[in-house]
Amino acid sequence: MILIQTEDAIIARLRLGLGRMVREVGSYGGELDEGLEEAIRRFPAAWVTFGGVIKTEPYSTSRRKFMATGQFMVMVGERNVRSEAASRVGGPAQGEVGSYPLVYAVRRLLSAQDLGLPIEALTPGRVRTLFNTRLERQAFSVFACEFQTAWIEEALPLGHWPSPQAQDDSDSVFARYQGKLGQPDPDWLRTGLHYHLTPDDGIADAQDILTRSNP
């Protein structure tokens, strides 16, 4: 599934690129919504999440292909016991990277990258402040870096169900969870090729029949 592949690829690139700037890079699991104090202890950190599909438009002249535009978000957080400003801009110590340098590093690593996937290269978007405050003796700041991309989605033919022989691994979820499936694709037996000379009178001037040989 392209959403999983894209999120995993973003995480992998950030882990390599950020190096020791952060303690962890991972998929966002509500760390900032539940147990904020525990999340701060893990700073500096970067978490990745899917932000949703912004729009979907027909692709080319096909009635079954669509261009989906989606958004991914990287949240970076840093803390500092000295001051709120130090949590943002960093400090002289090796462990005081600062959230501003993290924002720069994330945008630098991801902008204009397609991550080796069938998606449009990531376009950097807004950077939003999520937190910029103090909790007890620790100042901390968290920013959300938005990226936009797009990919092609293909709809099922009218009235059809996913094929049990689907080539797309994404459709395997239907078989796995016992969703309704269509009939298996019929075996290929033969193909007829018709050749028309110019000017074309609508009648084939020659033809070939390709037939599958028995194993």
Side-chain angles (χ1 to χ4, degrees):
M1 184 179 293
I2 196 64
L3 300 182
I4 297 175
Q5 293 173 333
T6 303
E7 182 173 309
D8 287 347
I10 290 174
I11 291 172
R13 183 169 175 84
L14 291 180
R15 280 178 178 162
L16 289 174
L18 295 178
R20 295 186 178 181
M21 280 186 272
V22 293
R23 291 184 177 181
E24 68 172 272
V25 179
S27 181
Y28 182 65
E31 285 83 355
L32 300 173
D33 301 315
E34 301 176 1
L36 185 58
E37 186 174 354
E38 173 60 28
I40 294 173
R41 292 195 187 100
R42 295 155 66 178
F43 286 175
W47 292 305
V48 181
T49 189
F50 175 57
V53 172
I54 302 170
K55 62 180 178 179
T56 304
E57 299 175 319
Y59 178 72
S60 186
T61 57
S62 172
R63 296 183 179 181
R64 291 175 49 199
K65 289 187 177 182
F66 300 89
M67 175 75 78
T69 302
Q71 188 177 78
F72 286 85
M73 187 163 55
V74 181
M75 288 168 281
V76 296
E78 172 65 304
R79 62 171 178 160
N80 197 289
V81 296
R82 293 191 293 110
S83 68
E84 293 178 15
S87 76
R88 298 192 302 275
V89 302
Q94 180 71 16
E96 296 180 300
V97 59
S99 54
Y100 287 174
L102 284 177
V103 167
Y104 167 80
V106 165
R107 288 166 64 88
R108 180 70 167 161
L109 290 169
L110 296 181
S111 297
Q113 302 297 315
D114 66 7
L115 309 169
L117 298 173
I119 61 173
E120 288 191 354
L122 293 167
T123 302
R126 297 185 303 168
V127 176
R128 297 184 290 112
T129 302
L130 298 183
F131 294 96
N132 186 20
T133 185
R134 180 180 291 274
L135 183 64
E136 296 180 352
R137 298 174 57 185
Q138 296 188 89
F140 71 98
S141 56
V142 182
F143 292 89
C145 306
E146 298 177 356
F147 294 88
Q148 185 171 299
T149 185
W151 58 91
I152 304 300
E153 296 180 349
E154 186 168 359
L156 291 169
L158 182 64
H160 285 223
W161 299 91
S163 171
Q165 302 169 329
Q167 299 298 314
D168 186 352
D169 289 340
S170 299
D171 272 356
S172 64
V173 67
F174 296 102
R176 180 180 179 185
Y177 292 100
Q178 300 179 345
K180 182 176 175 59
L181 300 174
Q183 296 298 318
D185 295 332
D187 293 336
W188 176 79
L189 298 177
R190 65 179 62 87
T191 298
L193 302 176
H194 297 266
Y195 306 96
H196 296 258
L197 300 177
T198 303
D200 186 1
D201 58 4
I203 301 175
D205 297 283
Q207 65 177 5
D208 287 323
I209 303 296
L210 302 181
T211 304
R212 186 186 70 174
S213 61
N214 293 325

